[in-house]
Amino acid sequence: MGLAKTEMFTDQQNKISLFAKVFGHPARVAILQHLFKIDSCVCGDLVNEIGLAQPTISQHLKELKHLGLIKGNVEGTSVCYCIHKENWTVMKTIMTEFLNQDLSENQDCC
Amino acid sequence: MGLAKTEMFTDQQNKISLFAKVFGHPARVAILQHLFKIDSCVCGDLVNEIGLAQPTISQHLKELKHLGLIKGNVEGTSVCYCIHKENWTVMKTIMTEFLNQDLSENQDCC
DNA sequence: TTAATTTATTGCAATATTACGATTAATATT
DNA sequence: AATATTAATCGTAATATTGCAATAAATTAA
């Protein structure tokens, strides 16, 4: 985050921006959409699905996992990744609250 | 976006990630929340509200304006910034669709 | 016109992100 | 054990983001 300090902002603001940041790359959006579309998934599928190299996909998966939005279980030589439903729901609540801030009360000053 | 090309992804995926990216910094989240909270706003207020230098706030405002989420009208020596309601609603639809992807149909494989 | 006020722009420096080749680690198969 | 398969990690180059001092631009007030 450059030189800015998280202490300058509220916990809520920091949480929102952390979730948003992870959605701020189309590859991670595509990974999540693919995980939603199918039941289970291995990393290799994603490498084929998305046109990026295996280490790159692995790195994106790591970020998603670190934020708790996905989980991965080792299954033989491959890894089964899927959406972490409980955490996704928590994230959705936080993001939706931010997106649904009420517009109607404000005068349109501009 | 590093070396990745937007052509690799769908329009929808690119849109989602662009919106998410702008929310990916707590200062911009704070700016938007402040604009929602009050009717109108000048840049100076935001510099006081958020603990960042005036050029930095101006830069964040520029990004928000570029994406169409806020609009700014010159009023004397100051500028009145506010939420672009129509565009905010459009953005909200796109983001909500992404966040509301159905979980119930999927087996939890992990 | 001059000075004051407010915001935008420029020009960096510091940091973060992204991508991938090469390699390693872990497991499965033969 | 040796080989194959799959994903993670390391190292590094390219690019993007962030923050701010200095300055410019625009408007208002005296």
Side-chain angles (χ1 to χ4, degrees):
Chain A
M1 192 174 48
L3 309 172
K5 292 159 191 151
T6 56
E7 306 93 55
M8 296 174 62
F9 305 100
T10 67
D11 277 1
Q12 190 210 19
Q13 286 162 349
N14 284 316
K15 267 185 198 166
I16 291 167
S17 64
L18 280 177
F19 283 130
K21 191 181 279 182
V22 91
F23 299 142
H25 194 292
R28 289 190 292 264
V29 171
I31 287 171
L32 290 166
Q33 286 181 333
H34 191 67
L35 289 181
F36 270 106
K37 207 172 76 180
I38 60 169
D39 269 346
S40 63
C41 195
V42 292
C43 182
D45 285 0
L46 291 164
V47 173
N48 295 332
E49 185 74 13
I50 301 158
L52 292 170
Q54 178 267 321
T56 308
I57 298 292
S58 188
Q59 197 175 315
H60 284 308
L61 287 168
K62 191 179 176 183
E63 289 176 65
L64 290 167
K65 195 175 180 182
H66 184 252
L67 226 75
L69 294 175
I70 64 173
K71 47 187 171 179
N73 271 31
V74 176
E75 289 197 357
T77 56
S78 63
V79 178
C80 170
Y81 278 107
C82 60
I83 303 289
H84 191 309
K85 296 181 187 182
E86 295 78 12
N87 291 353
W88 184 270
T89 303
V90 171
M91 174 281 295
K92 200 164 73 175
T93 304
I94 293 168
M95 293 306 284
T96 302
E97 189 185 2
F98 171 68
L99 296 173
N100 283 342
Q101 284 171 94
D102 204 358
L103 288 160
S104 55
E105 290 172 30
N106 302 327
Q107 285 278 97
D108 204 348
C109 69
C110 303
Chain B
M1 190 173 52
L3 307 171
K5 291 160 192 150
T6 56
E7 307 92 58
M8 295 174 61
F9 304 99
T10 66
D11 277 2
Q12 190 210 20
Q13 286 162 348
N14 285 316
K15 269 186 199 165
I16 290 167
S17 64
L18 281 177
F19 283 130
K21 191 182 279 181
V22 91
F23 299 142
H25 194 292
R28 290 190 290 264
V29 171
I31 287 171
L32 290 166
Q33 286 182 332
H34 190 68
L35 289 181
F36 269 108
K37 207 172 78 181
I38 61 170
D39 269 347
S40 63
C41 196
V42 293
C43 181
D45 286 1
L46 291 165
V47 173
N48 296 331
E49 185 75 15
I50 302 158
L52 291 170
Q54 178 268 322
T56 308
I57 298 292
S58 187
Q59 197 175 315
H60 285 308
L61 287 168
K62 191 179 176 182
E63 288 176 67
L64 289 167
K65 194 175 180 181
H66 184 251
L67 226 76
L69 295 176
I70 64 173
K71 46 186 171 180
N73 271 31
V74 177
E75 288 195 359
T77 55
S78 63
V79 179
C80 170
Y81 278 109
C82 61
I83 302 291
H84 192 307
K85 296 181 187 183
E86 296 78 13
N87 290 353
W88 184 270
T89 303
V90 171
M91 175 281 295
K92 200 164 73 177
T93 304
I94 293 168
M95 293 305 284
T96 301
E97 190 185 1
F98 171 68
L99 296 174
N100 283 341
Q101 282 171 96
D102 203 358
L103 289 160
S104 56
E105 291 173 29
N106 302 328
Q107 284 280 95
D108 204 349
C109 69
C110 303

